[in-house]
Amino acid sequence: STVAPAAGGPLTRKLTVPGVIAMDADRIGRVAARVIGTVTELNKRLGDPVTKGETIAVLDSREVAEAKSELLASLVNQELQSTLFEREQSLWDKKISAEQQYLRARNTFSEVALRVDLARQKLTALGVSDREVASVRREVKPFRQVASVEGELPTSLGLQRYELRAPIAGRVVERRVDLGAPVGGEGQEKEIYVIADLSSVWVELAVSTSDLAQVREGQKVMISAGAEGPNAEARITFISPMLNQETRSARVIATMDNKGLVWRPGSFATAQVIVEEIPVDIRLPRAALQTLKGEQVVFVRTKQGFEKRDVVLGKQDDSAVEVVFGLDPGDEVAVANSFVIKAELGKAEAEHAH
């Protein structure tokens, strides 16, 4: 028989409600194209892990190419105007040229710098990363050489390349497009991937109006998925102020750790909301109690074996009871299979009577 020392602990009042495991909405990242383009690279498959900031898809976009070439052109012009301004400033410092000429060059240089800034902001607004914007600056020299020969946008620089990066770390739970698909336009798909961080999940609980008064944010919830399924602890993080008119229940969300990824969104679970916890000095599991001649008894281990003790019970919950009288803290009590001891004791008493 299993023994355990008599000790204090909480008695709990629980509310049992059905629940559904769901993705944590704060941990979902949608990878969307802010531009019109064509999918040229898809680096991730369904279920693949991704890290935050990782390039997971690439588009070809004329819109991006035009915005990048605008930045390139303004950078080339800035280089030129910078050289002209430096020369005018030198001539002005040596009192060789007129002030008006110097001021005109300074004004032109300021306008060009503003144009560069606006072109950079336009790329940022399109969702082009800072790293890509910086790489455009490095293309100034080849752009200047090729543009001066051909007189038009050099496509060899790959200006139409538009990288899509993961907004969060997690796993790919949806892939919305195929390679070569047009995206971003009217009637076309905007999202490429959906990423979810499943290391934490929600449990959506349906709590009826009659039980709602017992539920509060911050309460502990024990989640179980059947006899063979996993068990875990969650905390209530949201109680909807609105009622579902059809079911007459409120949406209650508990957040649960899922680092082992054992809980799958969409699966059903049973939730026990810990409505109240009452600390008691001596708490025993119900399995430790037996009834002998109408009295509640427990079996305490002594040097000679087990002896029965009459006990007076106090408060109770589904699985445990408070012992008010009959036991001292630390007494070794049979907490499992105590019915075996009871049977043996009854047999011994019967033999003694003979």
Side-chain angles (χ1 to χ4, degrees), residues 148-177:
S148 60
V149 174
E150 298 180 7
E152 58 182 39
L153 173 71
T155 53
S156 60
L157 298 180
L159 297 180
Q160 72 284 0
R161 182 183 171 88
Y162 177 74
E163 294 180 355
L164 285 165
R165 296 172 180 277
I168 61 167
R171 295 181 75 190
V172 174
V173 292
E174 263 187 80
R175 196 188 88 177
R176 310 290 288 270
V177 297

Side-chain angles (χ1 to χ4, degrees), residues 11-264:
L11 292 175
T12 56
R13 197 157 57 81
K14 299 170 187 170
L15 172 67
T16 304
V17 292
V20 179
I21 310 300
M23 288 193 291
D24 183 336
D26 297 329
R27 292 169 180 258
I28 296 173
R30 299 184 183 277
V31 184
R34 297 191 209 171
V35 298
I36 295 169
T38 307
V39 180
T40 56
E41 283 179 37
L42 287 171
N43 301 335
K44 295 290 175 181
R45 290 180 300 189
L46 271 178
D48 281 358
V50 296
T51 55
K52 186 178 178 179
E54 186 182 359
T55 301
I56 58 174
V58 177
L59 307 183
D60 258 9
S61 171
R62 184 171 182 79
E63 197 179 343
V64 171
E66 285 169 359
K68 281 185 182 176
S69 66
E70 207 175 297
L71 175 60
L72 266 172
S74 57
L75 283 167
V76 170
N77 197 15
Q78 188 182 37
E79 267 197 12
L80 173 66
Q81 293 305 327
S82 174
T83 308
L84 292 174
F85 173 60
E86 281 169 15
R87 193 176 72 186
E88 284 299 331
Q89 189 167 24
S90 173
L91 292 172
W92 164 245
D93 289 344
K94 293 171 185 171
K95 302 286 188 260
I96 296 171
S97 67
E99 184 184 14
Q100 195 176 356
Q101 210 167 325
Y102 160 71
L103 290 174
R104 194 183 299 124
R106 190 175 73 177
N107 196 37
T108 305
F109 178 61
S110 298
E111 282 177 9
V112 168
L114 180 64
R115 239 176 255 130
V116 168
D117 202 40
L118 288 172
R120 192 180 285 119
Q121 283 181 37
K122 185 177 178 182
L123 279 171
T124 304
L126 289 175
V128 176
S129 69
D130 293 342
R131 190 176 64 81
E132 278 188 276
V133 172
S135 74
V136 172
R137 185 179 282 279
R138 290 196 296 273
E139 300 288 358
V140 170
K141 195 174 179 183
F143 177 86
R144 195 167 54 221
Q145 290 167 349
V146 180
S148 60
V149 174
E150 298 180 7
E152 58 182 39
L153 173 71
T155 53
S156 60
L157 298 180
L159 297 180
Q160 72 284 0
R161 182 183 171 88
Y162 177 74
E163 294 180 355
L164 285 165
R165 296 172 180 277
I168 61 167
R171 295 181 75 190
V172 174
V173 292
E174 263 187 80
R175 196 188 88 177
R176 310 290 288 270
V177 297
D178 298 320
L179 213 55
V183 292
E186 200 174 323
Q188 294 171 353
E189 188 63 71
K190 302 287 190 294
E191 281 181 13
I192 314 296
Y193 287 112
V194 179
I195 298 165
D197 173 7
L198 298 175
S199 63
S200 171
V201 290
W202 280 356
V203 189
E204 299 213 5
L205 312 175
V207 181
S208 66
T209 46
S210 56
D211 293 325
L212 209 50
Q214 301 181 69
V215 178
R216 296 184 309 281
E217 286 182 10
Q219 277 174 331
K220 189 161 69 172
V221 186
M222 303 313 295
I223 309 294
S224 65
E228 301 297 316
N231 294 283
E233 188 181 301
R235 291 269 170 190
I236 292 177
T237 48
F238 173 74
I239 299 170
S240 173
M242 312 286 285
L243 280 182
N244 182 318
Q245 292 304 316
E246 290 172 22
T247 61
R248 301 302 297 163
S249 63
R251 186 179 181 223
V252 176
I253 291 172
T255 303
M256 178 170 65
D257 184 79
N258 187 35
K259 290 201 167 53
L261 303 179
V262 293
W263 298 94
R264 293 175 180 273

